[in-house]
Amino acid sequence: MIWKGVIRPTEPRGVPLRAKMLPRFLKNVGYETHGIGKWHLGFCSWDYTPLKRGFDTFYGFYTGASDYYTHKRAISNESKKEKPKEYLDLRNNTESDDTKEGHYSTHLFGSVAEEIVRSRDPEDPMFLYLSFQSVHSPLQVPRNYSDIYSNIKDHNRRLYLGMVTAMDEAVGRLVTALHETGHYSNSVIIFTTDNGGPIRFGASNWPLRGGKATLWEGGIRAPAFIHSPLLPNPGTVTNQLHHITDWFSTIVNIAGVNPPKVDGMNHWDALVGLSDHPRKTMICNIQNVEKFKAAVRFNEHKMLIGRMASVRWASSSASTDKSRTESLDTTLSESKAPLLARRHSRNTPLPVRINGHETNKKFGNIQNKSLPEGTDYLYKPKNAIRYNDARIEISRWNKPLSKNNDLMAKDFVRWGDLKNHTKLEWEPKVVRTLGNYLTEQTKIRLFNIKDDPEERHNLSAELIYKLQAMMTYLSQQLHLMITVPPKTRIRVGHPSYWNNVWSSGWCQSKW
């Protein structure tokens, strides 16, 4: 499903009801289910809210970016001439709770989790979802936590680190409660997040490139760990692919339920050493709301399509300490020159296998090392090749690379033939999909994340055949994509109509 940004408070939408959520699956097999903290999955209809999606109890807030102490959230599209009015967003099950002003949310949500653990029988199965508000803007934390980092000059960074410390303390108290109540010995604890850190709000993804809301590694590679006395070899680190949707299938399997057919994959057998990690490919994200963007993984290789924000490797203090920010031109200066030289060598022969026999044909200037061993390619006029039943046209590449070593779509395919796909021997779905989403100026990049996790060396001009396989995979996934209608906001969702509280009941739920 294509989606740009988050669900805004006055948007009449939520996660479709046909999507059966994790707590519902677990509840159906006898688990108690408790949700605490941030929801942010839609609340305009009660059908979208936690108690209707499988949770037995819920204590938290429906929107995002609310105040950590007042538990209120302003409406984002009100006049900017004066400070916008804030409205309460804190719920105990379905009832609003205005009694917790002044209670820091990390402490509040951690205490609610502890109370649940200490008030129940550890022999009864339980799923506890604790979604801390930390560490998200606004940057707020009791001073005794930020003072720990008084040596840090950047104000936002000090607050951010203090918020992390307060959250870490709350997690520690919960784990202690699990031990003291007899829950721990049969528990699986998963710590994860939904995106990389926002650099402008004190986060640091260094040395990874980019940050939150980008498709660079700094935006999509996030810290996570799984802890349990049931796991062998504690302290093991894995660099295998794991998408956030994989938690669903993995947790359902832990509960003894066969995972349904969904996008996520079950990693439990791999985690306990019974099998290899199942995920080899991954769509990191697709966006086609304004201009097309996509990120695709094939094992260690990552393809980026479209214009990407943030071309810097920046620490959290990049705005104030220029010495810790590297520009793209600087970091690519060494690797760029040899690649440009190779691109100008237009007479470099490329060995091509025709009916199993190798021959030397001038085929642009693609490097020999980009050919996988033992693979047959059918040489035809006009530089055409067939790969997995998809014929892709390669241009002669008789001009220098762009500034950032990017290939353009017009370099990757003969664009006139792509638009008029009857002239090409592609699978119709592949051609139709790519022709609809790409333009001649669409940028295409390729990185080896295993060897180059910082995404400094663009390999798109060298590993063209890897790109072809990944483009074919992407086109197949695009064909399965569901497009979301344009975003709308409606006035009736404004809290002023609901006793100045962010409330449900003002839209029709959709299946």
Side-chain angles (χ1 to χ4, degrees), residues 295-313:
V296 179
R297 282 292 299 269
F298 257 38
N299 293 315
E300 71 272 17
H301 287 98
K302 176 182 176 182
M303 177 178 70
L304 291 173
I305 296 180
R307 183 177 180 181
M308 300 295 161
S310 177
V311 294
R312 294 179 180 274
W313 294 261

Side-chain angles (χ1 to χ4, degrees), residues 5-12 40 43 73 76 487 489 506:
V6 298
I7 301 176
R8 299 295 179 183
T10 54
E11 286 186 43
H40 216 184
F43 65 93
R73 157 73 190 255
S76 56
K487 287 192 170 191
R489 303 185 192 185
W506 46 271

Side-chain angles (χ1 to χ4, degrees), residues 188-237:
V188 177
I189 302 169
I190 296 172
F191 181 92
T192 187
T193 186
D194 55 353
N195 49 250
I199 297 172
R200 67 190 182 102
F201 288 117
S204 175
N205 305 305
W206 183 270
L208 300 181
R209 185 177 183 178
K212 179 180 178 179
T214 75
L215 294 178
W216 301 110
E217 288 297 282
I220 63 175
R221 183 187 292 195
F225 67 80
I226 182 169
H227 173 80
S228 174
L230 306 177
L231 285 172
N233 304 318
T236 300
V237 177

Side-chain angles (χ1 to χ4, degrees), residues 3 31 42 83 89 92 138 158 204 255 268 283 339 343-344 348-349 351 378 381 389 433 450 455 467:
W3 190 270
Y31 275 69
K83 185 178 179 178
D89 184 22
N92 185 355
R158 286 199 307 274
S204 175
W268 184 250
I283 298 292
L339 189 55
R343 284 288 298 275
H344 284 300
T348 302
L378 181 63
D389 294 326
T433 301
K450 180 181 179 181
E455 296 172 293
L467 283 178

